[in-house]
Every structure is written in structure tokens, then in C-alpha cells.
Amino acid sequence: MEAISWSGAWRWMLLTAIAPIAWGSTYVVTRAVLPAEPLWGAVIRALPAGLLLLVLSRRRPHGAWWWRSALLGMLNTGGFFALVYAVAQRLPSGVAATVMAASPLVMMAAARVVLGQRPRILALTGGAAGIAGVGLMLFGGADAVDPIGIVLAVVALVSSAVGYALATRWGAVDIVASTAWQLLAGGLLVLPLAVVVEGAPPLLDGAAFAGFAYVTVVATALAFVVWFAGLRHLPAATVGLIGLLNPVTGVVLGALVAGEVLTGRQLTGLAIVLAGIALGQVRLRRRRQLPSDSRKLRVGAKKVEPVAAVEKSRMRS
């Protein structure tokens, strides 16, 4: 990960934020207009997005990237999409999105093991705040919670955290190309399973086609490119905390579009989640400023020594 200025970090954070906002919106879209088959949903989402990015990059995998693309495709796209699709069908959009708010801590753990990145105290605190917000938002709604949906959501966030860390470790290739390979590999790996388990692909009406177009282009192709770009330029802890915008978007859209009821507990949890995001960015700013501050102190120390010598000579005289 290259060193960047604080202003540059902010630009990358804003760009990275596109991804969780887009992902948070998929819960409402899936429940509202998309068919119920999760495996076909993953295939229809991944393959067109991968083909679009492959046309833009015009590069194919080489060497170890053949098996890396297959592994990352299952962790980050194909298997992950199927899990998230199933979760969206089993849980209200707000509940499904808030479970994924645990992802910052899981990403920090994966980054520590795979990348050797040690999370800062305030980043961990921000992640814990996200967990607290999850607890309030998850158990504060009026809808019943499906335990199978919760388990599937946890499996999805662990899978993606490991996949993101591995993608960052193997990131010395073009981002658009590597994202295309992952999407194509994930879609192709899930395709035979979709045929065996769910049969023929679902028939899409106009609303479902429009929904898949949005999910494919915005919430998949664009979102994954900016997300992986953020992982290359920012610490995993920072990117993970930005990912908390996923549940925020899911909850807000669930209330505005799907008519889901927000209780006082959920609103409190929402505020805690936003505080966790802000807390993590405060630590990033302090860390960016420390090197320049320390340099100023060292320069100042050099200037003080001659003055002290002059004063001593005056005292002797």
C-alpha cells in the first residue's frame, strides 16, 4: 500500500464509499423486483458485470491468476453473491444489511493474518461501535428474525473478508482486469450448481430486468472496481469502516422505499454506526499527521542547539 497525503486519503475514501452505498441498495432491489432463485441471481449478476469489465480491460488471466481468479471469484463474487441473495430473500433489508456491519472487525482480523496489518485502537473501537449498532438495529425491529438468514449473512461476510485480504495481497495487476476475472470465475463456478439445484433460469419481466441491470452495472462492476481500488490505497481497517455505509444505506432505503418500520432502538443503532465510521477516520488523520509533526520537531531541535550554545557562552563571559 503506497503512502498518500491526508487529502489524497479523503478522495480515496469518498470514492470507496460508492461501493457500500451501492451494495446496501441491493437488499431493497432484490426483495422488491428480483426472482427468488439465489444461485441464478448470483450468475446473472456476476457474468454480465465480468464481461463488461473484460471488454474494458481487454486482458486475460496469466500464470497463477488462473487459480487465484477461481478462488477469489468464489470468495468475493460467485459464492458471496449467492449467500447475499439468499439472505436478502430470508431477512428484511434493514436486518440483512446490519448483520454485515460486523465486517470491519472481520476484515481487520483477515488483514492482520494475511497482510500483517495491525489495526489501530480507534479503528477497533469504531468496529466495536458498528457491532453495538448492529445489536440495536437487529433486535429493535418489529419483524421476526430468521436464524438461517443470520448464519448465511455471517458466512458471507467472513468469506468476503478473507477474499478481500487475498485480493490485496495479490494486487499487482490492473484492477479492472482482476475484478473482471473474479466476476467471470465466480459466475462460471456457480452456473452448473444453479442448473442442477434450481433448474432453468428464471423468466425476467421488465422490472426484474431493470433491477438486474442496476445490480450488474452499478452495484457490481462499478462497486467492486472502486472497492478494490480503495483496498490498494487505504488500510483494510479504514476500508472496512467505510463499509459500514452498507447497513446505513440498507436501513434508510428499507424505511423510505420498502416501508419498513424504524424504532427508536434502530435509530440509536444507526447513530452508533455512523459514529464508528467517524471514529476510525479520526485515527487515520492523526496517523497521517504524525510523520510531518515529528519532522518539524526534529528540525526545531537542530535550531535550538546553536541558541543554547550562545547562551552558555554569554554566561561564561
Side-chain angles (χ1 to χ4, degrees):
M1 185 184 66
E2 64 185 48
I4 54 177
S5 65
W6 173 238
S7 60
W10 261 112
R11 287 194 291 270
W12 280 111
M13 283 190 284
L14 292 174
L15 185 66
T16 306
I18 295 173
I21 292 173
W23 292 336
S25 68
T26 62
Y27 299 105
V28 171
V29 175
T30 299
R31 287 177 64 86
V33 299
L34 299 188
E37 293 83 355
L39 296 176
W40 275 115
V43 172
I44 298 173
R45 177 180 180 181
L47 286 182
L51 289 172
L52 174 62
L53 294 179
L54 187 64
V55 170
L56 294 176
S57 66
R58 298 183 180 181
R59 296 182 61 183
R60 63 180 180 84
H62 55 277
W65 268 101
W66 286 104
W67 67 264
R68 289 177 179 178
S69 297
L71 176 60
L72 295 178
M74 182 56 65
L75 293 174
N76 292 335
T77 59
F80 178 74
F81 290 164
L83 287 169
V84 170
Y85 201 100
V87 167
Q89 297 292 342
R90 302 186 73 98
L91 297 175
S93 60
V95 173
T98 53
V99 174
M100 303 303 287
S103 62
L105 292 181
V106 181
M107 284 185 65
M108 292 179 206
R112 182 71 179 96
V113 174
V114 178
L115 303 174
Q117 295 182 5
R118 298 184 60 181
R120 303 291 181 176
I121 296 299
L122 286 184
L124 290 170
T125 305
I131 296 293
V134 167
L136 287 174
M137 299 169 77
L138 179 59
F139 299 107
D143 297 299
V145 176
D146 182 351
I148 296 179
I150 299 297
V151 171
L152 293 176
V154 172
V155 173
L157 70 88
V158 172
S159 169
S160 62
V162 174
Y164 297 153
L166 289 174
T168 303
R169 181 174 179 176
W170 298 332
V173 295
D174 178 72
I175 292 176
V176 175
S178 64
T179 305
W181 304 338
Q182 293 180 56
L183 290 168
L184 290 172
L188 291 174
L189 288 170
V190 176
L191 177 59
L193 188 61
V195 173
V196 172
V197 176
E198 297 176 350
L203 297 176
L204 304 180
D205 57 16
F209 184 84
F212 270 121
Y214 169 78
V215 169
T216 296
V217 176
V218 177
T220 304
L222 174 62
F224 272 91
V225 168
V226 298
W227 183 257
F228 287 130
L231 283 168
R232 290 195 185 183
H233 293 85
L234 299 169
T238 300
V239 176
L241 288 170
I242 294 173
L244 289 172
L245 291 173
N246 183 327
V248 170
T249 304
V251 169
V252 171
L253 290 181
L256 295 178
V257 179
E260 297 174 3
V261 178
L262 291 181
T263 67
R265 286 170 61 92
Q266 286 180 306
L267 290 174
T268 302
L270 183 64
I272 293 174
V273 170
L274 293 174
I277 298 174
L279 191 61
Q281 309 323 312
V282 168
R283 181 52 185 160
L284 177 64
R285 184 173 186 177
R286 288 176 59 193
R287 194 176 77 178
R288 296 293 181 190
Q289 289 179 340
L290 281 176
S292 60
D293 293 341
S294 62
R295 283 194 298 268
K296 290 179 180 179
L297 290 174
R298 287 196 296 271
V299 172
K302 292 179 180 178
K303 292 181 178 179
V304 168
E305 289 178 359
V307 175
V310 170
E311 292 297 329
K312 289 181 180 179
S313 65
R314 288 178 178 175
M315 291 176 64
R316 293 192 190 99
S317 61

